[in-house]
Amino acid sequence: MQREPSIRIVVQAEDFDPGQEEALLHDGDLHIGGSAAFVGRVRADGDDLLALTLEHYPGMTEKSLQALAEQAAERWQLSGVTVIHRIGRLLPGERIVLVLTASAHRQAALTACEFLIDALKTDAPFWKCEERTRGKHWVEAKAGDNNARQRWANHE
Amino acid sequence: MQREPSIRIVVQAEDFDPGQEEALLHDGDLHIGGSAAFVGRVRADGDDLLALTLEHYPGMTEKSLQALAEQAAERWQLSGVTVIHRIGRLLPGERIVLVLTASAHRQAALTACEFLIDALKTDAPFWKCEERTRGKHWVEAKAGDNNARQRWANHE
Amino acid sequence: MSTLHLRYFARLRERFGRDAEPLGIPAVPYTVADVIALLVARGGIWADELGGPRVFRVAVDQEMAQLDTPVHDGAEVAIFPPVTGG
Amino acid sequence: MSTLHLRYFARLRERFGRDAEPLGIPAVPYTVADVIALLVARGGIWADELGGPRVFRVAVDQEMAQLDTPVHDGAEVAIFPPVTGG
């Protein structure tokens, strides 16, 4: 009765289409009641941001996203998880990341989506380098992201 | 600095494209850091569901969705909200509803999205009629939906 | 006399065999509870659906209403089951 | 002697002027802490980045590691700043 959750992890330079991914994740599984998605975009933080460059750790990045997706799928009994993260140089307004979760029940899909975007920000090896009018610099990790991650730790 | 939140409420028989709606909501507002979406689909509940027919109260339905969207936009300082709800006869697997929220901050977008789908299920005048192999019947309201709605009431 | 525009939706629309009807009420202060009492007095399915333990909702001029919500001449009064959208 | 494959990412890759290098270590039980001590002993930016209060992370064979995580001959040991994706 219960299918194995379908997990799709992609790290790519190209943009993605959240609607197409929703359709792909659904893919004729009629027991999916809904899906939750988070799409992150490059925010024009401070108005002088020219671009972001995303670096990753090929191999480890995909493995860590796969592990997080499997953990979420088990914890919230998801039908499927899609995580797409872009790398390379991105301009303000461009999409960076998609987290998509499908479940029979909306609460599970929404909570798992929130867990995954929080966990990705602290556990997956990606680094952002900002190009601003006054030069380039590597973004420092935010305490807030660690706090958001910590919320989920009690039940792991 | 802070734009008025853009609110888009649609009640229609036609399907929608969640990716296109995400792009439309973003629409060059470079201060949006992310958007959260919930897409509800007709679930093949019990394996003998042939179709769902969605009835609404023209006028009041749109007004109540608009009021919920405005409430969420204010409470979570959203950049934009899109709610699309389909009406008429829908088959298992078809999309029924989209709730999409955009914000500078991911937590606000995700929480507001969850609020809106919970609130829509108890406050917006839509009714589902199921066609099963053994006949048609109107879906009864679920206590769980009222409980989910109640979670948000303390802060209203 | 004042006139209300009654509307019915979903299961109640089917049970009552109509989606709308005008309803004459006395030109005195009148509430949702009075309207319901007038309909229950029709007996049969009306008493069954609106006079017993079955749960229903009322909106006046497209806003959710309570039993003590006043109704005015020309008001749109909608009666329907608890909603099940989304 | 054993050999480790060191990898550096992001700010540390730029600071150290390289994205990878082999590192010879004695063929005895060895931990992440020993590897860091070996690099800090190079002085300059190595001591500055890895020997002071600056925060960094280490992965061994693409799994997050702690200071007491053992490293084996041929291990891939990556050193990088706290992550900032998403």
Side-chain angles (χ1 to χ4, degrees):
Chain A
M1 187 74 194
Q2 185 83 19
R3 295 192 193 183
E4 276 293 291
S6 67
I7 292 178
R8 173 168 147 79
I9 304 296
V10 183
V11 178
Q12 65 183 19
E14 297 72 37
D15 195 11
F16 52 83
D17 177 342
Q20 198 174 312
E21 294 299 331
E22 189 266 347
L24 198 62
L25 186 62
H26 187 272
D27 188 29
D29 181 348
L30 301 180
H31 296 277
I32 295 178
S35 61
F38 178 80
V39 175
R41 294 235 188 196
V42 180
R43 192 172 44 164
D45 207 11
D47 288 326
D48 68 333
L49 183 73
L50 303 175
L52 274 186
T53 299
L54 269 290
E55 179 169 330
H56 79 304
Y57 183 167
M60 180 171 171
T61 303
E62 292 81 352
K63 271 191 235 177
S64 72
L65 294 176
Q66 178 77 28
L68 289 174
E70 285 172 6
Q71 193 183 332
E74 186 179 5
R75 184 163 165 187
W76 286 282
Q77 305 194 329
L78 303 177
S79 312
V81 178
T82 298
V83 178
I84 302 180
H85 203 299
R86 293 178 69 190
I87 50 171
R89 190 167 182 273
L90 302 175
L91 303 179
E94 285 198 77
R95 279 180 282 260
I96 306 179
V97 63
L98 170 71
V99 172
L100 183 61
T101 54
S103 168
H105 304 287
R106 73 181 184 278
Q107 184 70 57
L110 284 159
T111 307
C113 183
E114 193 170 346
F115 162 78
L116 279 168
I117 186 67
D118 281 351
L120 181 156
K121 283 188 178 258
T122 58
D123 295 14
F126 289 103
W127 300 272
K128 281 185 188 130
C129 185
E130 291 184 350
E131 278 171 57
R132 293 185 179 271
T133 45
R134 60 183 185 278
K136 286 190 186 188
H137 78 104
W138 290 93
V139 175
E140 301 271 333
K142 282 185 288 187
D145 285 336
N146 276 309
N147 294 344
R149 179 69 178 94
Q150 207 52 41
R151 286 193 297 145
W152 304 99
N154 300 336
H155 304 283
E156 278 169 27
Chain B
M1 186 74 195
Q2 184 83 19
R3 297 190 191 182
E4 276 291 292
S6 68
I7 292 178
R8 173 168 148 79
I9 303 296
V10 182
V11 178
Q12 65 183 19
E14 298 73 37
D15 195 10
F16 51 83
D17 177 342
Q20 198 175 312
E21 294 298 331
E22 189 266 346
L24 198 63
L25 186 62
H26 188 271
D27 189 27
D29 181 347
L30 301 180
H31 297 278
I32 294 178
S35 62
F38 178 79
V39 174
R41 295 233 187 197
V42 180
R43 192 171 44 164
D45 207 11
D47 289 325
D48 67 334
L49 183 73
L50 302 176
L52 274 187
T53 299
L54 269 292
E55 178 168 332
H56 80 304
Y57 182 167
M60 181 171 171
T61 301
E62 292 83 351
K63 272 191 235 177
S64 72
L65 294 176
Q66 178 77 27
L68 289 174
E70 285 172 7
Q71 193 184 331
E74 186 178 8
R75 184 164 165 186
W76 287 282
Q77 305 193 331
L78 303 177
S79 312
V81 177
T82 299
V83 178
I84 303 181
H85 203 299
R86 294 178 68 191
I87 50 173
R89 190 166 183 274
L90 303 175
L91 304 180
E94 285 198 77
R95 279 180 282 260
I96 306 178
V97 63
L98 169 72
V99 172
L100 183 60
T101 55
S103 168
H105 303 288
R106 73 181 185 278
Q107 184 68 58
L110 284 158
T111 307
C113 182
E114 193 170 345
F115 162 79
L116 279 167
I117 187 68
D118 282 351
L120 181 156
K121 284 187 177 258
T122 58
D123 294 15
F126 290 102
W127 300 272
K128 282 186 187 127
C129 186
E130 291 183 350
E131 279 171 56
R132 295 185 177 272
T133 44
R134 61 182 183 280
K136 286 190 187 189
H137 77 104
W138 290 93
V139 175
E140 301 272 333
K142 281 186 289 189
D145 285 335
N146 276 309
N147 295 344
R149 179 69 178 94
Q150 205 54 40
R151 286 193 298 144
W152 305 98
N154 300 336
H155 304 283
E156 279 170 25
Chain C
M1 284 286 281
S2 300
T3 302
L4 303 179
H5 303 285
L6 295 190
R7 302 187 67 173
Y8 309 108
F9 289 95
R11 194 177 51 74
L12 291 179
R13 174 178 55 72
E14 290 189 346
R15 283 279 281 168
F16 297 154
R18 67 197 76 178
D19 59 7
E21 64 177 317
L23 183 76
I25 59 169
V28 295
Y30 222 68
T31 65
V32 166
D34 298 324
V35 174
I36 299 300
L38 213 57
L39 295 175
V40 168
R42 292 174 175 179
I45 50 169
W46 300 88
D48 186 35
E49 289 291 344
L50 305 177
R54 304 205 70 151
V55 180
F56 60 91
R57 302 273 184 263
V58 180
V60 174
D61 292 334
Q62 305 193 356
E63 297 278 351
M64 292 306 299
Q66 305 301 321
L67 285 174
D68 62 357
T69 302
V71 293
H72 59 88
D73 187 20
E76 178 172 303
V77 178
I79 305 176
F80 46 76
V83 308
T84 55
Chain D
M1 285 284 282
S2 300
T3 301
L4 302 179
H5 304 285
L6 296 191
R7 302 188 66 173
Y8 309 109
F9 289 95
R11 193 177 52 73
L12 291 180
R13 175 178 55 71
E14 289 188 348
R15 284 279 281 168
F16 297 153
R18 67 198 74 178
D19 59 7
E21 64 176 317
L23 183 77
I25 58 168
V28 294
Y30 222 66
T31 66
V32 166
D34 299 323
V35 174
I36 298 300
L38 213 57
L39 294 174
V40 168
R42 292 174 175 180
I45 51 169
W46 299 88
D48 186 36
E49 290 291 345
L50 305 178
R54 305 205 69 151
V55 180
F56 60 89
R57 302 274 184 264
V58 180
V60 174
D61 292 334
Q62 305 193 355
E63 296 279 350
M64 292 307 298
Q66 306 301 321
L67 286 174
D68 61 357
T69 302
V71 294
H72 59 89
D73 187 22
E76 178 173 301
V77 178
I79 306 177
F80 46 75
V83 308
T84 55

